[in-house]
Amino acid sequence: MPAFDFFLQPEVFLVWTSVLKTSVILGIVLTMVAYSVWAERKVSAFIQDRVGPNRVGWAGLIQPIADGVKLLLKENFVPAGVNKFYFSIAPSLAMIPALLVLAVLPFGSTLFGVPMVIANLDIGILWVFAVSSLGVYGIVLAGWSSNSKYPFLGGIRSSSQMISYELSLGLSVIPVFMVTGTLNLGEIVQYQVENGWMVLPAWTGGASLEKLLLWIPMLISFAIFMVAMFAETNRLPFDLPEAEQELVGGYHTEYSSMRFALFFLGEYAAMIAGSGVIVTLFLGGWSLPFVPDGSQGWVWGLVNIGTFFAKIAAVIFFFLWVRWTLPRFRFDQLMKLGWYVFFEVALVNIFVTAGILAYLKS
């Protein structure tokens, strides 16, 4: 059998295309993680009226590489009295779940007939919630194994924060499933291609009574999901597990070198994955109005991929802007917002969506 035909066998084709897609996505996301740090420093400098990174490379663009080399060369210090096993694996546990979320996000339509998603699961969004919630174990283990009260308090805060906002996060996306009738993320994007984005339904096919009525609960879902994602990723104004003024540095106080860097990389990877979920559920995924999909040629397939990552970059910019604009919430304010506001609003929003769907069906 010629070698070319061997690679076209269905099982072999699935394996090597999956490996290729995973490698490309990892390369893109890790590059985005490194330059999200650069972007954060530039945005913060702009807001605070200073220059930011500008010495290493043009506009400081080589600064992330210099930072990585510096962290690799630093001493990997382990304090006395820590639980060495859990202390060592905690940074990886904080990083890996964020990368696993990316496996089910459709990052394009098709390219040369190959769907641009690593794993097309029918329960894609359930996978996202199940895997992303594991990230808190890395933070809690880091706090507990450090044998220090400040990291321990940071870990406890993170677990209580996660429980509070996971409920709102899960309830807020139920209206999306009710409208689209599926949990498959690729099919949710396809629904938006045909009926308009969840937050901009009139963008495709014009306005109608049905779109107008469903637009209201979708906007509420989008607002709750976006705010809850700030808490899920421990970003300001909800970065209470770190809260450096109170807890020195929170759960990673005792970490140094690349272990310390892994926590930061995990935070930015979670932000990228969370932005990808927001884009997929509410902002049309890889689609743009009047732009064809990859079935019309490989160039359009590349345009769809570029569109998806451009939308993620825009959402990340919003994350950065909010961090350097709003003050940090107190912990009791965070709890009240999660339990007394978002939980009830998300629950009522489900009934409102059900009522609208029943009215439209009748």
Side-chain angles (χ1 to χ4, degrees), residues 13 18 25 45 87-88 98 127 156 170 227-228 230 233 259 267 282 323 325 333 350:
F13 184 79
S18 297
I25 284 296
F87 187 82
S88 301
W127 166 269
I156 295 297
V227 176
F230 275 90
T233 54
R259 284 176 178 158
E267 179 181 319
F282 297 103
R323 173 175 181 177
T325 305
Q333 293 172 327
I350 293 172

Side-chain angles (χ1 to χ4, degrees), residues 1-327:
M1 177 183 297
F4 185 73
D5 291 342
F6 173 76
F7 285 107
L8 291 181
Q9 292 182 59
E11 296 82 5
V12 180
F13 184 79
L14 178 64
V15 170
W16 72 261
T17 54
S18 297
V19 171
L20 184 61
K21 284 186 284 188
T22 305
S23 305
V24 171
I25 284 296
L26 269 179
I28 293 174
V29 170
L30 291 179
T31 304
M32 288 183 73
V33 167
Y35 279 93
S36 294
V37 179
W38 173 86
E40 174 117 46
R41 296 175 68 179
K42 277 292 187 185
V43 170
S44 66
F46 173 72
I47 292 174
Q48 295 172 341
D49 196 18
R50 53 186 175 82
V51 178
N54 66 336
R55 299 296 179 92
V56 189
W58 180 78
L61 280 170
I62 311 298
Q63 187 66 49
I65 299 173
D67 289 341
V69 172
K70 181 179 71 177
L71 286 164
L72 279 171
L73 297 176
K74 277 183 175 290
E75 180 186 4
N76 194 9
F77 182 72
V78 178
V82 304
N83 185 314
K84 289 186 180 178
F85 177 71
Y86 293 115
F87 187 82
S88 301
I89 66 169
S92 302
L93 288 178
M95 174 84 181
I96 292 172
L99 297 178
L100 290 177
V101 168
L102 298 165
V104 296
L105 298 183
F107 57 91
S109 52
T110 58
L111 196 61
F112 302 110
V114 179
M116 288 296 102
V117 58
I118 297 171
N120 187 23
L121 301 182
D122 287 336
I123 53 165
I125 191 62
L126 297 183
W127 166 269
V128 169
F129 283 121
V131 170
S132 61
S133 61
L134 296 177
V136 72
Y137 285 99
I139 295 174
V140 172
L141 279 177
W144 173 78
S145 63
S146 292
N147 194 30
S148 171
K149 59 184 177 182
Y150 294 120
F152 183 69
L153 285 172
I156 295 297
R157 279 189 179 188
S158 184
S159 57
S160 57
Q161 179 173 317
M162 181 69 73
I163 294 167
S164 304
Y165 280 86
E166 279 276 318
L167 292 172
S168 305
L169 203 67
L171 291 174
S172 67
V173 296
I174 290 177
V176 177
F177 308 147
M178 294 168 71
V179 171
T180 59
T182 179
L183 295 175
N184 185 298
L185 293 173
E187 292 176 7
I188 291 173
V189 173
Q190 192 58 41
Y191 175 90
Q192 295 178 82
V193 171
E194 297 166 1
N195 299 281
W197 301 358
M198 291 298 174
V199 295
L200 292 170
W203 191 295
T204 304
S208 65
L209 177 63
E210 179 181 352
K211 288 183 176 181
L212 182 63
L213 289 175
L214 290 174
W215 185 44
I216 298 169
M218 290 303 106
L219 279 182
I220 295 171
S221 290
F222 174 68
I224 295 173
F225 194 88
M226 176 69 88
V227 176
M229 191 56 74
F230 275 90
E232 178 89 359
T233 54
N234 297 326
R235 298 283 300 177
L236 263 171
F238 305 132
D239 67 333
L240 293 158
E242 296 178 29
E244 62 272 12
Q245 288 91 343
E246 310 157 40
L247 302 179
V248 184
Y251 53 90
H252 51 58
T253 300
E254 305 296 342
Y255 283 87
S256 61
S257 186
M258 279 308 291
R259 284 176 178 158
F260 172 78
L262 272 177
F263 280 117
F264 268 91
L265 295 179
E267 179 181 319
Y268 283 94
M271 189 168 62
I272 291 170
S275 302
V277 176
I278 291 170
V279 168
T280 303
L281 291 177
F282 297 103
L283 302 177
W286 45 262
S287 68
L288 272 181
F290 313 114
V291 175
D293 60 23
S295 63
Q296 305 300 314
W298 63 270
V299 173
W300 294 117
L302 290 177
V303 170
N304 295 152
I305 295 172
T307 300
F308 180 75
F309 285 104
K311 288 180 182 179
I312 286 182
V315 177
I316 289 174
F317 179 75
F318 179 71
F319 269 84
L320 302 183
W321 196 274
V322 168
R323 173 175 181 177
W324 295 98
T325 305
L326 297 180

